[in-house]
Amino acid sequence: MTDEQTRVEKPPNDEVRLQPARPTGCIDDVFHVLDGKVSLQKPLTIDEMNDIAAAGWAGTAGDA
């Protein structure tokens, strides 16, 4: 069993709808999820960010 919650709706046409409950919170919470958890020696350059993104798309991110 999972921790997911379910929302039950019963519209007037005698059917029952079960849907996953939407998470609470706002999109702004996502923007600060990594605050204080990432520390870099120096800021990344655009080229370094592009290399990281390309590796992610290629499925090779994190390979040493």
Side-chain angles (χ1 to χ4, degrees):
M1 187 161 221
T2 66
D3 292 343
E4 296 178 18
Q5 294 186 358
T6 304
R7 185 178 68 200
V8 178
E9 295 179 1
K10 186 174 183 320
N13 62 357
D14 289 331
E15 62 181 44
V16 175
R17 295 181 190 158
L18 299 176
Q19 297 179 333
R22 290 190 160 198
T24 58
C26 65
I27 190 66
D28 290 333
D29 297 338
V30 173
F31 297 123
H32 301 286
V33 74
L34 295 177
D35 285 353
K37 294 185 174 119
V38 176
S39 61
L40 299 173
Q41 297 296 324
K42 62 180 182 74
L44 295 173
T45 66
I46 298 295
D47 288 334
E48 290 170 326
M49 288 187 251
N50 287 337
D51 291 343
I52 292 168
W57 278 103
T60 59
D63 290 351

